[in-house]
Amino acid sequence: QGVDKLIADGLNIWSRASRLAKWKKIEDALLAPESEVTIAIVGKYVHLKDSYKSLHEALVHGGLASRARVNIEYVDSEQIEKDGTGMLESVHAILVPGGFGDRGIEGKIAAARFAREGRVPYFGICLGMQIAVIEFARNVAGLKSANSSEFKPHTPDPVIHLMKEQEDVTDKGGTMRLGAYPCRIKVGSLAQKVYNAKSVDERHRHRFEFNNDYRDALQDKGMSLCGINPDLDLVEMIELPDHPYFIACQFHPEFKSRPLRPHPLFDHFVRAALKNAGAQEGTRSDDDDVVEDDEE
């Protein structure tokens, strides 16, 4: 509205004209999207949607990159436990976010299974990665009692367990694994295609982690451990190579997404959802590949 110019003139400060071309493109993509897609966020804090504010915005950013409107359906994982996964049949992709405690966990596991078996694009973040690991261990690797020691401390197959450096922590304040840590990306993986990089740094906030004792058992059944922390040898990312788009990470990529720089994991997740929506509507061929290296 020109307020900045009035202030600059009043203070006798020279300033150049605003350069808003990039933001104009953002506005155009928001107001006149070329397509739309529906993505489910399956969580247990869905009645307070601001709990997922960063995720919501990052999904919008991912849509901007494809000039797509992202319609977000918040699905209560406890409701899935009661009524089944039928409520997910109309969505084009499924995101399972972070969280704490055992409430609603079986609903999240059911959502991950629905995505895996139904070949629906899946993106797991933090707890969402742990959920994907538990589901795969139970229903593919044959470890029927697989669980996280967070939810069932004495499970015979703790495929997710408390990190070693967290074992003696008694104060539950800012004592989780916090901050940015490096992740080495597996060459030739979906993760490498998404990031177009061999190593990344991402922000973390967790206490529980993939149990390395189960690496071989899950890899032998087809799970790819596509991201590893090089310092602590921790599993940071997993994917399913025989699935159209199934990827999960222990870190929180939503914290680094911006309107002008959508995080690649959200960008490509929305693209995968669009491809799935097109396949359902018969508007895209099976040869279309939405996961490809970006051209600068």
Side-chain angles (χ1 to χ4, degrees), residues 207-270:
R207 298 183 191 280
F208 291 80
E209 177 63 66
F210 186 107
N211 187 340
N212 282 338
D213 291 344
Y214 290 88
R215 280 192 181 190
D216 290 343
L218 300 190
Q219 288 183 114
D220 289 347
K221 293 297 183 178
M223 176 175 283
S224 174
L225 311 182
C226 56
I228 304 293
N229 176 272
D231 301 320
L232 300 177
D233 196 34
L234 299 175
V235 176
E236 301 277 25
M237 298 186 73
I238 64 99
E239 62 185 58
L240 300 181
D242 62 349
H243 190 283
Y245 193 95
F246 194 109
I247 194 166
C249 56
Q250 184 58 67
F251 44 79
H252 287 270
E254 68 271 24
F255 295 151
K256 294 176 68 174
S257 189
R258 301 290 184 269
L260 295 175
R261 299 192 314 277
H263 193 287
L265 282 169
F266 286 92
D267 177 6
H268 285 266
F269 179 54
V270 171

Side-chain angles (χ1 to χ4, degrees), residues 102-116:
D102 61 358
R103 180 173 63 84
I105 289 300
E106 292 301 323
K108 291 189 175 190
I109 292 172
R113 182 173 188 175
F114 177 89
R116 180 181 57 79

Side-chain angles (χ1 to χ4, degrees), residues 55 95-100 108 122-133 150 160 176-177 203-210 236 238 247-255:
L55 286 173
L95 189 155
V96 176
F100 299 91
K108 291 189 175 190
Y122 177 90
F123 184 17
I125 296 176
C126 197
L127 176 61
M129 186 190 97
Q130 298 172 9
I131 290 296
V133 170
E150 177 184 5
I160 304 296
M176 290 184 284
R177 185 181 183 226
R203 290 172 59 180
H204 293 68
R205 188 174 183 271
H206 63 105
R207 298 183 191 280
F208 291 80
E209 177 63 66
F210 186 107
E236 301 277 25
I238 64 99
I247 194 166
C249 56
Q250 184 58 67
F251 44 79
H252 287 270
E254 68 271 24
F255 295 151

Side-chain angles (χ1 to χ4, degrees), residues 43-54:
K44 51 186 177 178
Y45 315 127
V46 296
H47 301 296
L48 184 61
K49 295 177 182 177
D50 276 359
S51 299
Y52 301 113
K53 181 63 173 176
S54 296

Side-chain angles (χ1 to χ4, degrees), residues 172-187:
K172 300 298 185 182
T175 55
M176 290 184 284
R177 185 181 183 226
L178 297 168
Y181 293 90
C183 175
R184 186 177 62 247
I185 305 297
K186 183 178 179 180
V187 175

